[in-house]
Amino acid sequence: MSKSKKTDVKKHKTINTVKLGKQTESIVVNIICLLVFIAFGYLSVMSILQTSKIDPTKYGSEVILYETDNIALNILFMSIFFVFLFAMKKRYDFFQKVNIKVLEIALPCYVASLGLIWVLSAQSVPAADSQNIFEAATNATQGNYQSMYNGGNFYNKDFYSGYSYFNFYPFQLGFVFLSEIVYRIFGIETAMPIEIINVLCVAAAYLAITKICKIIFKKRSIEFFTIILLAGCFQPILFCTFVYGNIIGMCCALWASYLLIKYFQTSKYVLLIPCAVLLTLSTLAKYNNMIYVVAFVIMLIVHTIKQKKWQSVAFALAICILSVGTSNLVIMSYENRANTTFESGVSQTLYLDMGLNESGMAPGWYNDIAKSTYINNGLNNEMADKAAKADIDNRMKYSFSNVNYTVDFFGKKILSQWNEPTFESIWISKVKGHYGDLNGLAKGIYNGSTGQFFELWFNLYAQILYLLFAVGLYCMFLNKKNSIETVLLPLIILGGFGYHLLFEGKSQYVLTYIPLLIPVASYGISCILNGKYTKIKEIVGKLKYIPEKSN
């Protein structure tokens, strides 16, 4: 074969390879967008029709009520909002003048200030799981490992039939490890150091979201809308009183997402090192952030097919090993320090069984099934999983033979989580003890007009955010903006939506996904403002020239 023919064959293969890569990316990202659009299209409609709320008569028990909204009021508010948007269109040159860099600095400062004021006002004391973690971490700083022994003297031991909490949830030792470091530095008297770190992490997470928006959409106005929407997203700020890994994990995962997107755009492999470290910290703080790991792996595989960057596959494998391996190393270190051995813990099969069953709170929320099945089988995973699978099979058979019940069950499960617009951000500290007397702000939010205002704001905010997010997804599809960079956050949201649809659900579990909606929602605002609306103008123009009927 001549040299020119060999060159032609090589070019032909290269062209086909590039075409295949682009087609693969297009198919994957469009499927993701379609699924997320369906979910949030449904939520945007339902949020106008009804709102889920915690029953005030059973507030401590987290019982969810499904209340019909004042639809006329919701439509009126949304109409006012969109009228305001179109009024802004006439002053669109404003976005060329506003100093975005100043806003980027102001946003985290604003968030940190509000957060510090709130956590110092609430003075919330840990309880339930967060108290188990607080006790274990503070005791470990003094070489006391009683909470890690069966039959030991530890918080809530009767609830776990005398078994150590960490025989049920050994993955929680990741956050115990991080907490122990904090308490060794700042002291063990209160859990306030973690709450303050939560505040700083929310501020840093919001900055990460603005940075992500900046690099994926590259438009000042969209970043401006993102900053404004984040400034009104108060739920994560109020949630900082929760001494748990949710907020810290969200922050680390979002900065890891920013670095991954930068890698996709620049192919600079050095970015993958801090990305892996942050993602590992994220899963240590909150093991459910394995959802991010799965999303990263999917996008890295697509990136490999698209760009033939085999290093991406190697990184995908590395983050899986790091995330799982580091958690196991932490567990082993505590086993060695405490001279004990932990059981493998409540499995995902047991969590699935819990999520498919009824609960006194809402369908698929926490119930005693997983824990009791695990205890009844002597903390033997194999036997407990066998019992859980049998129950799951029975639930599936019942679901297939009772379609109306199944639709109602999952419909209520979705709405109890995603359409409870406070996402338990106030509940999480209101039902717990406090280190000191509550000041006026805390009293107002818990039982006064300030709290009522926040609940109204959260409801209207969620309606607007869901609608704009759905519009943004639709416009991304129309404008061919779908790529592994722009769809990474929607894929993570889809992972959270799907996981908590099937497994254990609570509205507080989905709170950390809400800020992730904002960049696409901001893109939706930009598309609304820049729309040509040719068809609508034609229809309006024709209506103007309809001749009046003669008498």
Side-chain angles (χ1 to χ4, degrees), residues 8-306:
D8 289 341
V9 170
K10 187 176 180 180
K11 285 182 179 178
H12 180 69
K13 286 182 178 180
T14 303
I15 291 169
N16 285 340
T17 301
V18 171
K19 187 177 180 181
L20 176 63
K22 288 183 177 179
Q23 286 177 342
T24 303
E25 180 187 29
S26 178
I27 291 169
V28 171
V29 298
N30 283 322
I31 289 173
I32 292 167
C33 280
L34 176 62
L35 294 174
V36 182
F37 176 79
I38 291 170
F40 282 88
Y42 168 72
L43 282 170
S44 63
V45 172
M46 292 305 298
S47 66
I48 297 171
L49 302 178
Q50 67 99 240
T51 301
S52 303
K53 63 179 291 186
I54 302 172
D55 187 346
T57 65
K58 302 174 183 176
Y59 198 72
S61 301
E62 294 178 87
V63 176
I64 296 296
L65 297 177
Y66 304 89
E67 294 188 344
T68 302
D69 268 5
N70 186 327
I71 299 172
L73 182 63
N74 287 343
I75 292 174
L76 174 63
F77 175 82
M78 296 184 79
S79 300
I80 293 171
F81 175 79
F82 283 105
V83 167
F84 173 73
L85 277 188
F86 282 107
M88 286 178 64
K89 187 176 181 180
K90 296 177 181 179
R91 296 169 177 81
Y92 207 67
D93 59 338
F94 164 78
F95 301 114
Q96 303 301 321
K97 300 175 183 177
V98 66
N99 192 324
I100 293 294
K101 288 185 178 180
V102 170
L103 291 180
E104 285 179 356
I105 297 169
L107 176 66
C109 293
Y110 156 84
V111 170
S113 299
L114 291 181
L116 288 172
I117 291 170
W118 172 238
V119 297
L120 294 174
S121 298
Q123 293 281 323
S124 181
V125 175
D129 294 70
S130 60
Q131 173 61 15
N132 284 108
I133 291 170
F134 173 74
E135 180 186 65
T138 52
N139 284 348
T141 64
Q142 300 176 311
N144 179 354
Y145 302 102
Q146 276 292 312
S147 59
M148 299 183 186
Y149 303 134
N150 292 335
N153 185 24
F154 55 88
Y155 170 78
N156 224 4
K157 63 180 181 180
D158 293 338
F159 184 73
Y160 296 102
S161 302
Y163 291 109
S164 169
Y165 171 83
F166 299 103
N167 276 320
F168 292 84
Y169 313 113
F171 58 84
Q172 296 281 37
L173 288 164
F175 190 58
V176 171
F177 172 71
L178 297 177
S179 299
E180 183 184 345
I181 295 171
V182 172
Y183 295 130
R184 283 184 181 276
I185 297 170
F186 297 103
I188 63 174
E189 289 76 21
T190 73
M192 292 301 293
I194 294 292
E195 296 185 29
I196 292 171
I197 289 173
N198 279 344
V199 170
L200 299 177
C201 283
V202 170
Y206 280 18
L207 180 60
I209 291 170
T210 61
K211 293 289 187 182
I212 289 171
C213 178
K214 187 174 188 176
I215 62 174
I216 61 176
F217 292 119
K218 299 179 176 66
K219 197 169 182 180
R220 289 167 59 88
S221 60
I222 299 176
E223 188 182 358
F224 172 80
F225 295 134
T226 295
I227 291 170
I228 296 302
L229 287 174
L230 284 170
C233 189
F234 298 114
Q235 296 95 321
I237 299 172
L238 294 171
F239 201 71
C240 288
T241 56
F242 191 30
V243 186
Y244 218 53
N246 305 53
I247 297 295
I248 297 171
M250 175 186 72
C251 176
C252 293
L254 281 170
W255 278 104
S257 301
Y258 169 76
L259 292 169
L260 183 67
I261 293 169
K262 286 284 285 184
Y263 164 69
F264 288 151
Q265 293 179 342
T266 64
S267 296
K268 293 180 179 178
Y269 303 122
V270 69
L271 295 170
L272 297 178
I273 297 172
C275 177
V277 171
L278 287 166
L279 193 60
T280 302
L281 284 173
S282 174
T283 54
L284 271 182
K286 184 67 176 172
Y287 201 67
N288 274 9
N289 285 338
M290 288 297 293
I291 290 169
Y292 280 84
V293 175
V294 173
F296 279 31
V297 168
I298 291 171
M299 288 311 190
L300 284 162
I301 291 171
V302 174
H303 184 252
T304 299
I305 296 171
K306 178 185 176 184

